[in-house]
Amino acid sequence: MQTWREMRRFPLAVQLLLVNQLGVNTGFYLLIPYLATHLTENLGMSAAVVGVVLGLRNLSQQGLFIIGGSASDRLGARGVIIAGCALRTLGFALFALGDNLPVLLAASMLSGFAGALFNPAVRAYIAQEADERKAEAFALFNVFATTGALVGPLVGSALLLVDFRTSALTAAAIFALLTVAQALVLPARKVEPNKGTVLADWREVLRNRAFLAFALAMVGMFTLENQLYLLLPDGARQATGWDGAAGLVFLIGTVANLALQLRITRGLKERGDRAGWIAAGLGLMALAFLPPALAAGMSGPGTSGGPDGAADAALRAAPVLAGALLLYLGVMVVQPFVMELIPGFGRSELTGTYFGIFYVLSGIAAAVGNTVVGWAMDTGERSGAGWLPWLCCALFGLASALGVAWLRRLRSLPEPSKPAVPVKA
């Protein structure tokens, strides 16, 4: 109830974009987690071809965020959001209707580019509409996004009982409805003409050393957040011997977000010092990986057999689920204030560009971080050092926390209404 009351205090545009994010994540997670299985088992494609299809989607999205951000600044966020949702409708429909490689590659590219358009544009629009209440708006955004990430796989697994095509068409229908709703309800904002070139905008952002230092310091946030879909679900499955245990990770996050996100953001905002809270939240995210690391270290090699009954499974899963809860709490502390700070690094006319470049850098960070964590998982499994990937993640988080604390000490991070001071050489 508190979530809905808080949501109604925002302008209609923000309310729509919050519901939009629930629909975006529901539609996305309804389809994408099951795409690889469809390509291999239903269409008989090799693992290499599946990697190309999935990799193209990720590259089209992460690599082109900067296009969506610049388009948002120059053309207006409303049109870019609508275009992005329309393109994802087409892309997901192609996944349902196509069974040959060219069509699937086109579907993958369209759905990825769609995300590159609407993701930075939505955040820029919210930042502009929410004004001094950006932190609360992005806290709600996190709640709706996390809820969609839980609902999507549940709906997708049910629809797969029919077939993959039904699941893909349902996801496309969700994005079609979102596109229509945005076209009818989302008000257009006046866009001031920009006399410079897009390349000049990019150069201005990339020359902002305070912003680049902050983006680099946030590598840990994106790497650890990605473990909600890689390391933690895998740890829950291994601890319990039950594939469904991965869903408990998302359930814990959704319940925690609904119950605590707004309270945490409001309480910390009243105490000021956004940068300090970001550093503390990153430290909490690092701490989240210590309970599973300790449990893996105490179990030692040669003790990885299945659990002996339900009680033993619950006992083994407890450190992983405790880690998941701590990680979600850390994200709840960090993410709204990070989203609030990004527009403060530069001119308001470049808000979309700042978000776009920030997410390009985050995509690179997540890819590198996941590669390192994947290596640690494989190495730990071969050597019997099950604690290795967990410790690796803890170190990522600690490094990011120290990086933000250093920038805070240099006073290089902006207050929500003040520009940043450039980092000294």
Side-chain angles (χ1 to χ4, degrees):
M1 290 298 294
Q2 182 190 19
T3 299
W4 292 109
R5 284 197 301 269
E6 184 68 23
M7 175 182 168
R8 288 197 296 271
R9 296 176 59 193
F10 283 95
L12 180 60
V14 175
Q15 295 181 40
L16 175 63
L17 292 177
L18 295 175
V19 176
N20 178 81
Q21 192 61 28
L22 173 65
V24 164
N25 274 19
T26 298
F28 181 85
Y29 288 104
L30 183 157
L31 176 69
I32 295 300
Y34 308 104
L35 180 58
T37 302
H38 167 67
L39 296 177
T40 54
E41 295 184 2
N42 297 339
L43 301 184
M45 293 184 173
S46 67
V49 173
V50 172
V52 170
V53 173
L54 298 181
L56 181 61
R57 191 210 67 79
N58 191 60
L59 180 63
S60 299
Q61 178 162 317
Q62 300 291 349
L64 297 177
F65 270 130
I66 190 172
I67 303 297
S70 293
S72 172
D73 290 334
R74 289 176 171 268
L75 305 177
R78 177 182 180 273
V80 177
I81 294 168
I82 294 170
C85 279
L87 280 179
R88 184 157 282 183
T89 301
L90 178 59
F92 280 7
L94 284 177
F95 276 128
L97 303 175
D99 56 5
N100 59 70
L101 186 57
V103 173
L104 292 170
L105 290 175
S108 189
M109 185 175 64
L110 283 174
S111 61
F113 181 53
L117 288 178
F118 64 69
N119 273 324
V122 164
R123 286 159 177 79
Y125 201 117
I126 290 176
Q128 292 163 347
E129 286 285 330
D131 201 15
E132 76 279 359
R133 299 184 63 226
K134 292 182 182 69
E136 291 91 336
F138 283 115
L140 285 170
F141 190 83
N142 193 26
V143 170
F144 280 88
T146 303
T147 304
L150 173 67
V151 172
L154 295 176
V155 176
S157 61
L159 290 172
L160 283 175
L161 297 175
V162 182
D163 58 20
F164 178 83
R165 179 166 295 181
T166 301
S167 181
L169 289 175
T170 302
I174 291 173
F175 278 95
L177 288 173
L178 293 176
T179 304
V180 172
Q182 291 155 6
L184 294 176
V185 179
L186 199 61
R189 293 178 59 92
K190 183 180 179 181
V191 181
E192 296 295 334
N194 195 324
K195 296 181 180 179
T197 65
V198 172
L199 289 178
D201 291 347
W202 294 355
R203 282 195 297 268
E204 179 178 338
V205 175
L206 292 173
R207 287 172 179 168
N208 188 327
R209 297 173 65 187
F211 169 72
L212 292 181
F214 180 67
L216 179 62
M218 297 311 298
V219 165
M221 184 186 82
F222 291 105
T223 300
L224 300 194
E225 202 174 3
N226 267 263
Q227 303 320 306
L228 292 168
Y229 310 101
L230 177 63
L231 185 57
L232 284 161
D234 182 71
R237 284 190 292 264
Q238 288 193 23
T240 61
W242 174 46
D243 287 343
L248 297 176
V249 172
F250 304 114
L251 179 61
I252 285 174
T254 302
V255 172
N257 263 270
L258 289 170
L260 300 173
Q261 176 69 85
L262 278 173
R263 291 183 174 90
I264 289 173
T265 302
R266 280 177 171 171
L268 299 183
K269 181 180 177 182
E270 290 173 359
R271 290 162 176 81
D273 192 15
R274 309 304 204 261
W277 291 124
I278 291 172
L282 288 166
L284 182 58
M285 292 174 70
L287 183 65
F289 292 87
L290 294 184
L294 292 172
M298 287 189 296
S299 65
T303 59
S304 58
D308 185 15
D312 187 37
L315 186 63
R316 292 186 182 206
V320 177
L321 297 181
L325 178 59
L326 289 174
L327 182 56
Y328 273 110
L329 290 172
V331 171
M332 282 187 265
V333 171
V334 173
Q335 201 169 70
F337 294 134
V338 170
M339 297 296 103
E340 183 188 32
L341 287 187
I342 288 173
F345 279 101
R347 296 185 288 127
S348 61
E349 295 86 355
L350 293 182
T351 296
T353 303
Y354 272 96
F355 274 112
I357 291 179
F358 185 77
Y359 276 96
V360 168
L361 297 174
S362 77
I364 297 171
V368 174
N370 278 340
T371 300
V372 173
V373 173
W375 168 84
M377 290 172 71
D378 291 339
T379 303
E381 186 176 355
R382 287 195 304 267
S383 62
W387 48 266
L388 183 59
W390 305 101
L391 182 60
C392 182
C393 288
L395 292 176
F396 267 121
L398 179 61
S400 280
L402 293 174
V404 173
W406 175 69
L407 291 173
R408 173 175 173 264
R409 184 175 180 180
L410 293 179
R411 300 184 182 276
S412 298
L413 300 180
E415 290 296 324
S417 59
K418 298 177 182 178
V421 177
V423 175
K424 295 179 181 179

